[in-house]
Amino acid sequence: YQHELENRLLQEPIDYLSVAASYRTIGDMFVEIYDFPPALSYYLKTLEIQKRFLPPNHSLLALTNYKLAHLYDCLQQYKEAV
């Protein structure tokens, strides 16, 4: 996935929502192996891009926020999860 992401970043024009999807997928992979700090970084990158290019009520934003809340729960950072 990281190789695919690098290729997407080299394309012109950059499809930022595809890049965000790649970040989310990489984050998912880190969650699967219980490596939470990198997962958090990738999910936050996903959210940053999505906030720039999607309307505030878009379902992909909801999905990313759900994944972040779940991750914060795994990290026992309950205040962040709310």
Side-chain angles (χ1 to χ4, degrees), residues 1 3 17 24 26 32 35 38 43 50 52 56 58-59 65 68 77:
Y1 285 102
H3 178 70
L17 291 177
R24 187 181 62 243
I26 294 168
E32 287 293 318
D35 193 358
Y43 285 163
Q50 289 175 336
R52 286 179 48 205
H58 198 280
S59 61
N65 279 310
L68 275 167
Q77 295 180 5

Side-chain angles (χ1 to χ4, degrees), residues 40 68-69 71-82:
L40 179 61
L68 275 167
L71 183 57
Y72 282 127
D73 183 56
C74 292
L75 292 167
Q76 298 180 345
Q77 295 180 5
Y78 305 115
K79 290 182 181 180
E80 297 291 331
V82 175

